[in-house]
Amino acid sequence: MKLMNELGVPVPAHKSHVIRPIKDVTLEQRERALRETEYNMFSFPADLLVLDYLSDSGSTAMSELQWAALFHGDESYGRNKGYYVLLDSIRDTFERGDSPREAFKLILSGEKDVEKLMDELYLTKEEGGFVNAGANQLSRPNAFITPQGRAAEHLLFSTIREVLDEMNGPGKPYWIPNNGHFDTTGANIAANGIEPVNMFQPGVLEEFPWEKMDSENPFKGDMDLERLEAFLKEKGRENIPVIYLTITNNTVAGQPVSLNNIKAVHKLATQYDIPLFFDACRFAENAAFIKQFEKGYEQRSIRSIVQEMFSLADGFSISLKKDGLSNIGGGLFLRDKGEFVKRFSTAKEDVGVRLKEKQIVWFGNDSYGALSGRDIMALAVGLNEVVDQSYLYNRIGQTRLLAGKLAQEGVPVVLPAGGHAIYLDMNRFFEGSDMKIDDFGGVGFTIELLRNYGIRACELGPFAFEWDQKNEEQRQGILNLVRFAIPRNAYSREHIDYTVAAVSELYKNRDKIPKVKITRGAELRLRHFQTGLKPVY
Ligand code: F0G
């Protein structure tokens, strides 16, 4: 199946079934709302927007099967039926390749054969993978459901710190390398006194011809292997609790990671005897890039590519608000008897038991992890739908279409497009003007885009990453980007056309985009969620 048809447009993979009307909001009304919310993008009421590209997280339009699954939600405190189907969907998606069991269908079809339900769902005995079952999950817990990705991160990194302090004495320095830590991942690592280190390849902003986006991809999200190897040599195994790979690499313009790179990182991790973890938020989109662009994978199914990717991981944390195709959910999964479990279990205590205790104290019983039974059912279905090739090709095709159209209008967009978002390069956008880096031109652009056209995007540059609060060395790592993250299954061609028209018009009139001053809270952490701003017209 091709990504685009002969006309150069994505092949439709769904149609609307329920619609949400967009309100008629005037320019003056938007101006008032902007003023009264201190021009902070995160505090603008979503209901007053035409289009919202703030995040692809949790903003998915669910499928009819997912909505049907909600009705089967079981809100029991212990071992609700969704728990079993969700765990089996995790096995399906990450371990079973082309042979998923789709156990959720037993529930959706109202199966009444009790023996069958016990044998195939409630009393199975899996072990050795990411999701132990029954007594194995009790004695060696390795699957932890959480409300979202950052909760899984908190669970993992606080536990790593605790165990290392017990083993080696408190307060020692540790590092966790990644091809690109997401902001909450980095923050959760740092909050536990461990240093997050980014090792993405150089060249993400290098030009790439938009005409070639359908035929080539340089996998700009890859880990910089030379840097990683030198780092492992320098710091040594004992100071690096895990190596992380984020797929796709959200911090690096949503770019995919090649299987070649995953294999090479896995080899280094094995050589140094360090567990390899994935931040797997957009694993399915990453697999679609591998199928389309990596040599040797053209004939492979998405499911079998996902299986191969995850066969190289010792564990993963995941936000299921992305490629879970759900509005909420996350999890932490450890390979049964794997490297991580061996390294972080003590003579006294299995690390899974420790994690489970924390999960219960913070998020609720381990069979729901702070999710409602309804959400768990929707997730179990979503995980099986997200590996559908038609859906994925339509999804990454739409992102590519938006990037290609903007590029044709001359707008400086990072190419090739990533899976979930397109990113504008604001240094090139304002090239030749008197806009300086600390005038926050990217923020000025997002304010004008919202004010004039009701479209919300997000600056991920000198404002969000606190350029003015950083030293010269830290400033080197800050890219000057604006991100448009596309909600899954929510927007169609007319939304893309409206966006291209609006952004192109602003680009033509870029000399009128205001500089922006921070009026309140410049020194706050995570300030893009909190700070007050003012455009200077
Ligand atoms: N890791 C990556 C790569 C992410 O993109 C995100 C969230 C998380 C972890 C945390 O997951 O939100 O469920 O707690 N990214 C969203 C975004 C918020 O807009 O990019 P979460």
Side-chain angles (χ1 to χ4, degrees), residues 50 53 74 78 89 97 134-135 163 195 228 253 260 277 296 301 317 351 365 418 451 472 478 533:
V50 178
Y53 292 107
D74 169 2
S89 282
V163 175
E195 196 171 323
L228 177 65
N260 244 341
F277 268 54
S301 70
S317 54
V351 68
N365 183 277
R451 190 172 76 85
E472 214 30 69
I478 299 178
L533 297 159

Side-chain angles (χ1 to χ4, degrees), residues 483-497:
R483 184 182 83 163
F484 291 68
I486 308 177
R488 291 173 183 76
N489 286 335
Y491 293 160
S492 62
R493 184 69 188 251
E494 60 191 294
H495 303 97
I496 298 295
D497 288 346

Side-chain angles (χ1 to χ4, degrees), residues 9 210 213 399-411 413 493 496-497 500 504:
V9 291
W210 67 265
M213 279 198 291
T399 310
R400 194 171 304 163
L401 186 75
L402 174 56
K405 281 173 163 264
L406 287 171
Q408 287 171 71
E409 295 292 329
V411 180
V413 53
R493 184 69 188 251
I496 298 295
D497 288 346
V500 172
S504 306

Side-chain angles (χ1 to χ4, degrees), residues 94 148-150 152-153 156-157 177-186 188-189 242-251 257 262 276-284 286 309-310 313 315-320 322-323 331-333:
F94 299 105
Q148 53 184 99
R150 65 200 68 183
E153 293 161 3
L156 176 67
F157 299 122
N178 195 331
N179 56 333
H181 287 287
F182 180 64
D183 58 11
T184 62
T185 324
N188 266 305
I189 292 172
V242 291
I243 298 171
Y244 243 84
L245 258 182
T246 304
I247 49 178
T248 58
N249 195 340
N250 190 9
T251 301
V257 180
I262 299 175
L276 171 61
F277 268 54
F278 291 164
D279 176 339
C281 291
R282 300 175 180 88
F283 70 95
N286 201 90
M309 285 159 66
F310 282 80
F316 61 99
S317 54
I318 188 165
S319 165
L320 296 164
K322 285 92 175 166
D323 272 357
L332 172 66
F333 301 91

